[in-house]
Amino acid sequence: MALTVVSSAVKVFLLDIEGTTTPISFVKDVLFPYIKENVNGYLHSHWHEEGCQDDVELLRKQAKDVKQLDGAVLIPESCSGENADQEQAIKTVIDHILWQMSQDMKTTALKQLQGHMWKEAYACGEVKGEVYKDVAPAIKEWRKAGKKVYIYSSGSVEAQKLLFGYSVEGDLLELFDGYFDTKIGSKVEMESYRRIAQDIGCSTDNILFLTDVTKEARAAEQAGVQVCLVVRPGNAELTEQEMSHSIITSFSELSLSGQ
């Protein structure tokens, strides 16, 4: 097994989730189908709760930002609040959610609602977070060496904590120093990585970002972050040009030798 030596400048590991710590299939074949199959029942059960109404209102507001897209499903103001026609409002909200998911959109509003639904699923044992077997042992070694470990995912911070808190490997939350989602910025924008470094309190070149997405890797590199692409089963194949990045197929291939 060829090892990739981690620069001594690296003080922080920043980890993507989907395709990096967790199989892409878990999100596509478990988490997303759960939303589609259960959103109707969830909305009917929680419709009159403040948290659910907050989720619906945020969906309605953010729907205005995507109204120009083909097939966009808007949520009228009449769908929010206690006086809404519940059945019609729920149908409209579901149509909007399913449309967003069909477009693979990652809006904060959609992620927030999904996070609340997944919370129930994890808590009752319907879902357990899948994590590659090499992930937890590697992170424990990094932490022993004094490194900090953070997550940066397009999924909400709440969803991130649920995945690792109710994982097939048990509760892994103690392995992480913090979590970032798209509230800090898009993962394909350079400024997001600068904000993360500022939030953590380090220089961008003190961070090693592990991701399977080359667009994210390029944005991080532009910000001065060190990057390693992760190739896992089911991930998109890399082009010859993309193969120029440092590449690993397991976290165990990263070496802190000499640190």
Tab-separated table of all heavy atoms in Angstrom, residues 108-168:
chain	number	residue	atom	x	y	z
A	108	THR	N	-30.586	25.472	1.685
A	108	THR	CA	-30.586	25.394	3.148
A	108	THR	C	-31.948	24.947	3.669
A	108	THR	O	-32.031	24.160	4.614
A	108	THR	CB	-30.223	26.768	3.741
A	108	THR	OG1	-28.934	27.158	3.266
A	108	THR	CG2	-30.203	26.711	5.268
A	109	ALA	N	-33.015	25.435	3.031
A	109	ALA	CA	-34.368	25.092	3.482
A	109	ALA	C	-34.646	23.602	3.336
A	109	ALA	O	-35.193	22.963	4.243
A	109	ALA	CB	-35.397	25.898	2.684
A	110	LEU	N	-34.279	23.041	2.192
A	110	LEU	CA	-34.503	21.608	1.970
A	110	LEU	C	-33.673	20.794	2.957
A	110	LEU	O	-34.168	19.831	3.563
A	110	LEU	CB	-34.125	21.235	0.538
A	110	LEU	CG	-34.239	19.739	0.190
A	110	LEU	CD1	-35.683	19.263	0.307
A	110	LEU	CD2	-33.689	19.474	-1.212
A	111	LYS	N	-32.411	21.164	3.137
A	111	LYS	CA	-31.532	20.428	4.037
A	111	LYS	C	-32.041	20.496	5.478
A	111	LYS	O	-31.910	19.543	6.251
A	111	LYS	CB	-30.104	20.959	3.954
A	111	LYS	CG	-29.436	20.713	2.618
A	111	LYS	CD	-29.287	19.228	2.339
A	111	LYS	CE	-28.619	18.956	1.019
A	111	LYS	NZ	-28.526	17.514	0.734
A	112	GLN	N	-32.630	21.625	5.844
A	112	GLN	CA	-33.144	21.780	7.205
A	112	GLN	C	-34.304	20.820	7.457
A	112	GLN	O	-34.340	20.128	8.484
A	112	GLN	CB	-33.600	23.229	7.425
A	112	GLN	CG	-34.154	23.501	8.817
A	112	GLN	CD	-34.394	24.983	9.043
A	112	GLN	OE1	-33.456	25.782	9.047
A	112	GLN	NE2	-35.652	25.363	9.226
A	113	LEU	N	-35.243	20.760	6.535
A	113	LEU	CA	-36.380	19.852	6.685
A	113	LEU	C	-35.915	18.398	6.672
A	113	LEU	O	-36.350	17.580	7.488
A	113	LEU	CB	-37.402	20.077	5.572
A	113	LEU	CG	-38.575	19.087	5.588
A	113	LEU	CD1	-39.494	19.362	6.766
A	113	LEU	CD2	-39.361	19.132	4.291
A	114	GLN	N	-35.023	18.072	5.729
A	114	GLN	CA	-34.506	16.709	5.667
A	114	GLN	C	-33.824	16.335	6.987
A	114	GLN	O	-34.005	15.222	7.496
A	114	GLN	CB	-33.512	16.579	4.512
A	114	GLN	CG	-34.165	16.613	3.139
A	114	GLN	CD	-33.149	16.637	2.013
A	114	GLN	OE1	-32.047	17.166	2.169
A	114	GLN	NE2	-33.510	16.074	0.881
A	115	GLY	N	-33.072	17.262	7.547
A	115	GLY	CA	-32.382	17.008	8.803
A	115	GLY	C	-33.351	16.668	9.924
A	115	GLY	O	-33.107	15.769	10.732
A	116	HIS	N	-34.469	17.384	9.970
A	116	HIS	CA	-35.461	17.115	11.010
A	116	HIS	C	-36.119	15.749	10.810
A	116	HIS	O	-36.401	15.035	11.780
A	116	HIS	CB	-36.517	18.225	11.008
A	116	HIS	CG	-35.982	19.536	11.476
A	116	HIS	ND1	-36.518	20.756	11.109
A	116	HIS	CD2	-34.930	19.827	12.297
A	116	HIS	CE1	-35.835	21.729	11.676
A	116	HIS	NE2	-34.870	21.193	12.399
A	117	MET	N	-36.348	15.371	9.561
A	117	MET	CA	-36.919	14.055	9.290
A	117	MET	C	-35.941	12.937	9.626
A	117	MET	O	-36.300	11.914	10.222
A	117	MET	CB	-37.356	13.953	7.828
A	117	MET	CG	-38.588	14.766	7.483
A	117	MET	SD	-39.146	14.465	5.784
A	117	MET	CE	-39.572	12.714	5.856
A	118	TRP	N	-34.691	13.131	9.251
A	118	TRP	CA	-33.682	12.103	9.532
A	118	TRP	C	-33.463	11.949	11.034
A	118	TRP	O	-33.171	10.849	11.509
A	118	TRP	CB	-32.367	12.438	8.823
A	118	TRP	CG	-32.449	12.246	7.343
A	118	TRP	CD1	-33.161	11.299	6.663
A	118	TRP	CD2	-31.778	13.022	6.343
A	118	TRP	NE1	-32.988	11.441	5.305
A	118	TRP	CE2	-32.148	12.484	5.080
A	118	TRP	CE3	-30.911	14.117	6.379
A	118	TRP	CZ2	-31.671	13.010	3.871
A	118	TRP	CZ3	-30.434	14.634	5.186
A	118	TRP	CH2	-30.812	14.087	3.945
A	119	LYS	N	-33.628	13.039	11.791
A	119	LYS	CA	-33.468	12.966	13.241
A	119	LYS	C	-34.410	11.922	13.826
A	119	LYS	O	-34.018	11.114	14.672
A	119	LYS	CB	-33.732	14.340	13.868
A	119	LYS	CG	-33.510	14.377	15.376
A	119	LYS	CD	-33.708	15.790	15.913
A	119	LYS	CE	-33.426	15.837	17.410
A	119	LYS	NZ	-33.569	17.213	17.950
A	120	GLU	N	-35.652	11.942	13.373
A	120	GLU	CA	-36.620	10.946	13.832
A	120	GLU	C	-36.203	9.540	13.411
A	120	GLU	O	-36.300	8.584	14.187
A	120	GLU	CB	-38.013	11.255	13.268
A	120	GLU	CG	-38.751	12.351	13.985
A	120	GLU	CD	-40.240	12.358	13.652
A	120	GLU	OE1	-40.704	11.487	12.867
A	120	GLU	OE2	-40.948	13.235	14.176
A	121	ALA	N	-35.751	9.417	12.172
A	121	ALA	CA	-35.387	8.097	11.638
A	121	ALA	C	-34.213	7.484	12.393
A	121	ALA	O	-34.217	6.298	12.719
A	121	ALA	CB	-35.058	8.212	10.154
A	122	TYR	N	-33.198	8.316	12.677
A	122	TYR	CA	-32.039	7.827	13.424
A	122	TYR	C	-32.431	7.464	14.855
A	122	TYR	O	-32.026	6.419	15.382
A	122	TYR	CB	-30.931	8.881	13.452
A	122	TYR	CG	-30.121	9.011	12.189
A	122	TYR	CD1	-30.191	10.154	11.399
A	122	TYR	CD2	-29.243	8.003	11.806
A	122	TYR	CE1	-29.420	10.292	10.245
A	122	TYR	CE2	-28.459	8.136	10.656
A	122	TYR	CZ	-28.561	9.286	9.875
A	122	TYR	OH	-27.795	9.412	8.747
A	123	ALA	N	-33.196	8.350	15.495
A	123	ALA	CA	-33.531	8.165	16.905
A	123	ALA	C	-34.315	6.883	17.158
A	123	ALA	O	-34.148	6.243	18.203
A	123	ALA	CB	-34.317	9.379	17.413
A	124	CYS	N	-35.166	6.499	16.209
A	124	CYS	CA	-35.975	5.294	16.399
A	124	CYS	C	-35.323	4.054	15.776
A	124	CYS	O	-35.910	2.967	15.777
A	124	CYS	CB	-37.389	5.491	15.856
A	124	CYS	SG	-37.488	5.628	14.068
A	125	GLY	N	-34.111	4.223	15.232
A	125	GLY	CA	-33.376	3.077	14.721
A	125	GLY	C	-33.731	2.665	13.308
A	125	GLY	O	-33.245	1.637	12.825
A	126	GLU	N	-34.557	3.455	12.623
A	126	GLU	CA	-34.904	3.126	11.233
A	126	GLU	C	-33.708	3.300	10.302
A	126	GLU	O	-33.612	2.641	9.263
A	126	GLU	CB	-36.062	4.015	10.738
A	126	GLU	CG	-37.414	3.655	11.280
A	126	GLU	CD	-38.518	4.440	10.603
A	126	GLU	OE1	-38.766	4.209	9.399
A	126	GLU	OE2	-39.135	5.299	11.268
A	127	VAL	N	-32.793	4.189	10.682
A	127	VAL	CA	-31.613	4.480	9.859
A	127	VAL	C	-30.380	4.503	10.746
A	127	VAL	O	-30.419	5.008	11.878
A	127	VAL	CB	-31.771	5.855	9.155
A	127	VAL	CG1	-30.487	6.245	8.453
A	127	VAL	CG2	-32.927	5.835	8.171
A	128	LYS	N	-29.279	3.952	10.246
A	128	LYS	CA	-27.974	4.071	10.907
A	128	LYS	C	-26.971	4.618	9.890
A	128	LYS	O	-26.973	4.201	8.730
A	128	LYS	CB	-27.496	2.714	11.431
A	128	LYS	CG	-28.191	2.265	12.711
A	128	LYS	CD	-27.495	1.077	13.316
A	128	LYS	CE	-28.158	0.646	14.619
A	128	LYS	NZ	-28.007	1.646	15.674
A	129	GLY	N	-26.135	5.548	10.325
A	129	GLY	CA	-25.185	6.179	9.421
A	129	GLY	C	-24.076	5.231	8.997
A	129	GLY	O	-23.435	4.608	9.840
A	130	GLU	N	-23.855	5.127	7.698
A	130	GLU	CA	-22.776	4.279	7.191
A	130	GLU	C	-21.468	5.074	7.148
A	130	GLU	O	-21.431	6.200	6.661
A	130	GLU	CB	-23.114	3.760	5.789
A	130	GLU	CG	-24.221	2.718	5.772
A	130	GLU	CD	-24.420	2.120	4.397
A	130	GLU	OE1	-23.423	1.960	3.664
A	130	GLU	OE2	-25.573	1.847	4.047
A	131	VAL	N	-20.417	4.470	7.666
A	131	VAL	CA	-19.095	5.088	7.675
A	131	VAL	C	-18.079	4.019	7.264
A	131	VAL	O	-18.126	2.898	7.773
A	131	VAL	CB	-18.738	5.627	9.082
A	131	VAL	CG1	-17.350	6.259	9.078
A	131	VAL	CG2	-19.781	6.634	9.553
A	132	TYR	N	-17.201	4.368	6.341
A	132	TYR	CA	-16.166	3.410	5.928
A	132	TYR	C	-15.338	2.975	7.141
A	132	TYR	O	-15.042	3.787	8.031
A	132	TYR	CB	-15.247	4.026	4.878
A	132	TYR	CG	-15.873	4.135	3.509
A	132	TYR	CD1	-16.166	5.376	2.954
A	132	TYR	CD2	-16.160	3.001	2.758
A	132	TYR	CE1	-16.730	5.487	1.687
A	132	TYR	CE2	-16.718	3.096	1.495
A	132	TYR	CZ	-17.010	4.334	0.963
A	132	TYR	OH	-17.574	4.431	-0.284
A	133	LYS	N	-14.941	1.715	7.166
A	133	LYS	CA	-14.261	1.138	8.332
A	133	LYS	C	-12.897	1.768	8.603
A	133	LYS	O	-12.390	1.697	9.722
A	133	LYS	CB	-14.125	-0.379	8.165
A	133	LYS	CG	-15.456	-1.117	8.296
A	133	LYS	CD	-15.247	-2.608	8.384
A	133	LYS	CE	-16.573	-3.342	8.559
A	133	LYS	NZ	-17.253	-2.951	9.814
A	134	ASP	N	-12.286	2.393	7.591
A	134	ASP	CA	-10.963	3.003	7.798
A	134	ASP	C	-11.040	4.389	8.423
A	134	ASP	O	-10.021	4.936	8.847
A	134	ASP	CB	-10.210	3.094	6.464
A	134	ASP	CG	-10.998	3.868	5.410
A	134	ASP	OD1	-11.786	3.229	4.690
A	134	ASP	OD2	-10.840	5.098	5.316
A	135	VAL	N	-12.252	4.954	8.508
A	135	VAL	CA	-12.406	6.350	8.918
A	135	VAL	C	-12.115	6.563	10.408
A	135	VAL	O	-11.240	7.358	10.778
A	135	VAL	CB	-13.821	6.864	8.563
A	135	VAL	CG1	-14.073	8.245	9.187
A	135	VAL	CG2	-13.988	6.936	7.052
A	136	ALA	N	-12.844	5.868	11.275
A	136	ALA	CA	-12.679	6.098	12.720
A	136	ALA	C	-11.260	5.791	13.212
A	136	ALA	O	-10.681	6.614	13.946
A	136	ALA	CB	-13.719	5.289	13.504
A	137	PRO	N	-10.651	4.655	12.832
A	137	PRO	CA	-9.281	4.393	13.302
A	137	PRO	C	-8.283	5.471	12.872
A	137	PRO	O	-7.403	5.859	13.656
A	137	PRO	CB	-8.939	3.043	12.654
A	137	PRO	CG	-10.258	2.389	12.414
A	137	PRO	CD	-11.189	3.510	12.068
A	138	ALA	N	-8.427	5.959	11.629
A	138	ALA	CA	-7.505	6.990	11.138
A	138	ALA	C	-7.672	8.290	11.922
A	138	ALA	O	-6.688	8.917	12.340
A	138	ALA	CB	-7.740	7.237	9.649
A	139	ILE	N	-8.932	8.693	12.139
A	139	ILE	CA	-9.180	9.940	12.867
A	139	ILE	C	-8.633	9.851	14.287
A	139	ILE	O	-8.059	10.819	14.808
A	139	ILE	CB	-10.687	10.267	12.895
A	139	ILE	CG1	-11.178	10.596	11.477
A	139	ILE	CG2	-10.971	11.447	13.816
A	139	ILE	CD1	-12.670	10.828	11.377
A	140	LYS	N	-8.764	8.693	14.917
A	140	LYS	CA	-8.227	8.524	16.273
A	140	LYS	C	-6.713	8.720	16.290
A	140	LYS	O	-6.170	9.329	17.226
A	140	LYS	CB	-8.602	7.143	16.812
A	140	LYS	CG	-10.090	7.015	17.143
A	140	LYS	CD	-10.461	5.588	17.533
A	140	LYS	CE	-11.962	5.476	17.788
A	140	LYS	NZ	-12.373	4.076	18.092
A	141	GLU	N	-6.041	8.228	15.250
A	141	GLU	CA	-4.587	8.408	15.153
A	141	GLU	C	-4.231	9.876	14.940
A	141	GLU	O	-3.274	10.386	15.533
A	141	GLU	CB	-4.020	7.548	14.010
A	141	GLU	CG	-4.026	6.058	14.298
A	141	GLU	CD	-3.230	5.701	15.539
A	141	GLU	OE1	-2.088	6.192	15.670
A	141	GLU	OE2	-3.760	4.938	16.378
A	142	TRP	N	-5.005	10.559	14.088
A	142	TRP	CA	-4.750	11.978	13.848
A	142	TRP	C	-4.906	12.775	15.141
A	142	TRP	O	-4.090	13.648	15.442
A	142	TRP	CB	-5.700	12.524	12.787
A	142	TRP	CG	-5.619	11.825	11.462
A	142	TRP	CD1	-4.593	11.047	10.996
A	142	TRP	CD2	-6.621	11.824	10.438
A	142	TRP	NE1	-4.891	10.571	9.739
A	142	TRP	CE2	-6.124	11.028	9.364
A	142	TRP	CE3	-7.876	12.413	10.307
A	142	TRP	CZ2	-6.858	10.814	8.200
A	142	TRP	CZ3	-8.611	12.213	9.140
A	142	TRP	CH2	-8.092	11.422	8.100
A	143	ARG	N	-5.938	12.451	15.883
A	143	ARG	CA	-6.189	13.191	17.122
A	143	ARG	C	-5.090	12.909	18.160
A	143	ARG	O	-4.697	13.811	18.902
A	143	ARG	CB	-7.570	12.845	17.675
A	143	ARG	CG	-8.718	13.336	16.779
A	143	ARG	CD	-10.073	13.027	17.379
A	143	ARG	NE	-10.289	13.804	18.596
A	143	ARG	CZ	-10.747	15.056	18.619
A	143	ARG	NH1	-11.045	15.674	17.477
A	143	ARG	NH2	-10.925	15.682	19.754
A	144	LYS	N	-4.612	11.679	18.188
A	144	LYS	CA	-3.498	11.349	19.089
A	144	LYS	C	-2.273	12.194	18.763
A	144	LYS	O	-1.479	12.530	19.637
A	144	LYS	CB	-3.138	9.865	18.963
A	144	LYS	CG	-4.029	8.925	19.740
A	144	LYS	CD	-3.535	7.498	19.590
A	144	LYS	CE	-4.483	6.499	20.223
A	144	LYS	NZ	-4.033	5.095	19.988
A	145	ALA	N	-2.130	12.521	17.475
A	145	ALA	CA	-0.988	13.331	17.021
A	145	ALA	C	-1.249	14.830	17.205
A	145	ALA	O	-0.446	15.663	16.782
A	145	ALA	CB	-0.692	13.028	15.550
A	146	GLY	N	-2.375	15.172	17.815
A	146	GLY	CA	-2.675	16.568	18.108
A	146	GLY	C	-3.392	17.321	17.006
A	146	GLY	O	-3.521	18.550	17.071
A	147	LYS	N	-3.864	16.600	15.994
A	147	LYS	CA	-4.576	17.258	14.894
A	147	LYS	C	-6.049	17.475	15.261
A	147	LYS	O	-6.628	16.712	16.041
A	147	LYS	CB	-4.505	16.417	13.615
A	147	LYS	CG	-3.112	15.941	13.244
A	147	LYS	CD	-2.149	17.078	12.976
A	147	LYS	CE	-0.781	16.549	12.544
A	147	LYS	NZ	0.200	17.628	12.351
A	148	LYS	N	-6.636	18.497	14.672
A	148	LYS	CA	-8.074	18.724	14.825
A	148	LYS	C	-8.789	18.189	13.581
A	148	LYS	O	-8.201	18.157	12.494
A	148	LYS	CB	-8.369	20.207	15.017
A	148	LYS	CG	-7.875	20.749	16.349
A	148	LYS	CD	-8.328	22.191	16.567
A	148	LYS	CE	-7.924	22.681	17.951
A	148	LYS	NZ	-8.399	24.071	18.208
A	149	VAL	N	-10.036	17.799	13.765
A	149	VAL	CA	-10.790	17.203	12.665
A	149	VAL	C	-12.177	17.852	12.582
A	149	VAL	O	-12.905	17.894	13.584
A	149	VAL	CB	-10.951	15.677	12.845
A	149	VAL	CG1	-11.663	15.069	11.638
A	149	VAL	CG2	-9.594	15.008	13.056
A	150	TYR	N	-12.502	18.354	11.386
A	150	TYR	CA	-13.784	19.012	11.148
A	150	TYR	C	-14.473	18.382	9.940
A	150	TYR	O	-13.818	17.818	9.061
A	150	TYR	CB	-13.591	20.506	10.874
A	150	TYR	CG	-13.135	21.308	12.064
A	150	TYR	CD1	-11.788	21.338	12.428
A	150	TYR	CD2	-14.035	22.052	12.814
A	150	TYR	CE1	-11.349	22.071	13.526
A	150	TYR	CE2	-13.611	22.803	13.912
A	150	TYR	CZ	-12.269	22.802	14.267
A	150	TYR	OH	-11.855	23.535	15.344
A	151	ILE	N	-15.781	18.519	9.907
A	151	ILE	CA	-16.588	18.072	8.768
A	151	ILE	C	-17.057	19.291	7.979
A	151	ILE	O	-17.421	20.320	8.566
A	151	ILE	CB	-17.816	17.267	9.246
A	151	ILE	CG1	-17.391	15.958	9.906
A	151	ILE	CG2	-18.778	16.999	8.087
A	151	ILE	CD1	-16.787	14.944	8.960
A	152	TYR	N	-17.053	19.186	6.650
A	152	TYR	CA	-17.638	20.220	5.781
A	152	TYR	C	-18.460	19.507	4.728
A	152	TYR	O	-17.919	18.837	3.843
A	152	TYR	CB	-16.544	21.069	5.131
A	152	TYR	CG	-17.040	22.203	4.265
A	152	TYR	CD1	-18.279	22.809	4.471
A	152	TYR	CD2	-16.254	22.691	3.212
A	152	TYR	CE1	-18.722	23.860	3.688
A	152	TYR	CE2	-16.681	23.748	2.420
A	152	TYR	CZ	-17.912	24.329	2.655
A	152	TYR	OH	-18.347	25.360	1.863
A	153	SER	N	-19.772	19.615	4.846
A	153	SER	CA	-20.681	18.894	3.957
A	153	SER	C	-21.829	19.792	3.523
A	153	SER	O	-22.197	20.733	4.228
A	153	SER	CB	-21.237	17.656	4.679
A	153	SER	OG	-22.249	17.029	3.928
A	154	SER	N	-22.410	19.475	2.377
A	154	SER	CA	-23.582	20.222	1.918
A	154	SER	C	-24.810	19.877	2.752
A	154	SER	O	-25.786	20.628	2.797
A	154	SER	CB	-23.861	19.946	0.439
A	154	SER	OG	-24.055	18.566	0.228
A	155	GLY	N	-24.794	18.734	3.426
A	155	GLY	CA	-25.864	18.395	4.358
A	155	GLY	C	-25.780	19.285	5.588
A	155	GLY	O	-24.703	19.744	5.971
A	156	SER	N	-26.915	19.549	6.220
A	156	SER	CA	-26.945	20.434	7.380
A	156	SER	C	-26.078	19.885	8.509
A	156	SER	O	-25.816	18.686	8.597
A	156	SER	CB	-28.383	20.599	7.893
A	156	SER	OG	-28.860	19.377	8.427
A	157	VAL	N	-25.617	20.776	9.384
A	157	VAL	CA	-24.825	20.355	10.541
A	157	VAL	C	-25.611	19.336	11.362
A	157	VAL	O	-25.048	18.344	11.847
A	157	VAL	CB	-24.430	21.571	11.411
A	157	VAL	CG1	-23.904	21.127	12.773
A	157	VAL	CG2	-23.377	22.416	10.693
A	158	GLU	N	-26.907	19.562	11.499
A	158	GLU	CA	-27.732	18.616	12.249
A	158	GLU	C	-27.680	17.230	11.611
A	158	GLU	O	-27.512	16.214	12.306
A	158	GLU	CB	-29.182	19.095	12.318
A	158	GLU	CG	-30.075	18.150	13.118
A	158	GLU	CD	-31.487	18.674	13.310
A	158	GLU	OE1	-31.930	19.534	12.517
A	158	GLU	OE2	-32.151	18.211	14.247
A	159	ALA	N	-27.801	17.172	10.281
A	159	ALA	CA	-27.760	15.888	9.576
A	159	ALA	C	-26.390	15.224	9.729
A	159	ALA	O	-26.279	14.005	9.857
A	159	ALA	CB	-28.098	16.085	8.101
A	160	GLN	N	-25.334	16.037	9.719
A	160	GLN	CA	-23.974	15.508	9.896
A	160	GLN	C	-23.830	14.835	11.258
A	160	GLN	O	-23.310	13.716	11.379
A	160	GLN	CB	-22.949	16.641	9.777
A	160	GLN	CG	-22.901	17.317	8.413
A	160	GLN	CD	-22.035	18.561	8.433
A	160	GLN	OE1	-21.077	18.662	9.207
A	160	GLN	NE2	-22.347	19.540	7.602
A	161	LYS	N	-24.304	15.521	12.287
A	161	LYS	CA	-24.194	14.989	13.644
A	161	LYS	C	-25.019	13.721	13.817
A	161	LYS	O	-24.626	12.795	14.541
A	161	LYS	CB	-24.622	16.051	14.661
A	161	LYS	CG	-23.648	17.209	14.787
A	161	LYS	CD	-24.128	18.210	15.821
A	161	LYS	CE	-23.116	19.337	16.013
A	161	LYS	NZ	-23.578	20.329	17.023
A	162	LEU	N	-26.159	13.649	13.169
A	162	LEU	CA	-26.991	12.458	13.235
A	162	LEU	C	-26.283	11.266	12.604
A	162	LEU	O	-26.281	10.160	13.149
A	162	LEU	CB	-28.332	12.703	12.529
A	162	LEU	CG	-29.296	13.657	13.242
A	162	LEU	CD1	-30.449	14.017	12.319
A	162	LEU	CD2	-29.818	13.045	14.534
A	163	LEU	N	-25.678	11.492	11.434
A	163	LEU	CA	-25.000	10.401	10.732
A	163	LEU	C	-23.895	9.801	11.595
A	163	LEU	O	-23.780	8.577	11.730
A	163	LEU	CB	-24.434	10.913	9.408
A	163	LEU	CG	-23.895	9.873	8.420
A	163	LEU	CD1	-23.955	10.412	6.997
A	163	LEU	CD2	-22.456	9.459	8.738
A	164	PHE	N	-23.077	10.662	12.212
A	164	PHE	CA	-21.957	10.166	13.011
A	164	PHE	C	-22.374	9.778	14.428
A	164	PHE	O	-21.742	8.927	15.056
A	164	PHE	CB	-20.831	11.202	13.040
A	164	PHE	CG	-20.179	11.402	11.703
A	164	PHE	CD1	-20.348	12.578	10.988
A	164	PHE	CD2	-19.404	10.400	11.146
A	164	PHE	CE1	-19.756	12.766	9.748
A	164	PHE	CE2	-18.797	10.569	9.902
A	164	PHE	CZ	-18.979	11.750	9.195
A	165	GLY	N	-23.438	10.384	14.920
A	165	GLY	CA	-23.904	10.060	16.264
A	165	GLY	C	-24.639	8.727	16.331
A	165	GLY	O	-24.643	8.057	17.369
A	166	TYR	N	-25.274	8.356	15.217
A	166	TYR	CA	-26.016	7.093	15.143
A	166	TYR	C	-25.425	6.224	14.026
A	166	TYR	O	-26.141	5.696	13.188
A	166	TYR	CB	-27.494	7.352	14.853
A	166	TYR	CG	-28.237	8.083	15.942
A	166	TYR	CD1	-28.351	9.473	15.930
A	166	TYR	CD2	-28.851	7.386	16.993
A	166	TYR	CE1	-29.051	10.155	16.928
A	166	TYR	CE2	-29.550	8.057	17.984
A	166	TYR	CZ	-29.650	9.438	17.946
A	166	TYR	OH	-30.340	10.106	18.938
A	167	SER	N	-24.116	6.074	14.029
A	167	SER	CA	-23.453	5.352	12.941
A	167	SER	C	-23.406	3.847	13.215
A	167	SER	O	-23.623	3.391	14.348
A	167	SER	CB	-22.027	5.873	12.736
A	167	SER	OG	-21.114	5.218	13.602
A	168	VAL	N	-23.090	3.099	12.175
A	168	VAL	CA	-22.920	1.652	12.310
A	168	VAL	C	-21.732	1.326	13.206
A	168	VAL	O	-21.613	0.212	13.726
A	168	VAL	CB	-22.739	0.974	10.928
A	168	VAL	CG1	-24.017	1.053	10.119
A	168	VAL	CG2	-21.579	1.615	10.157
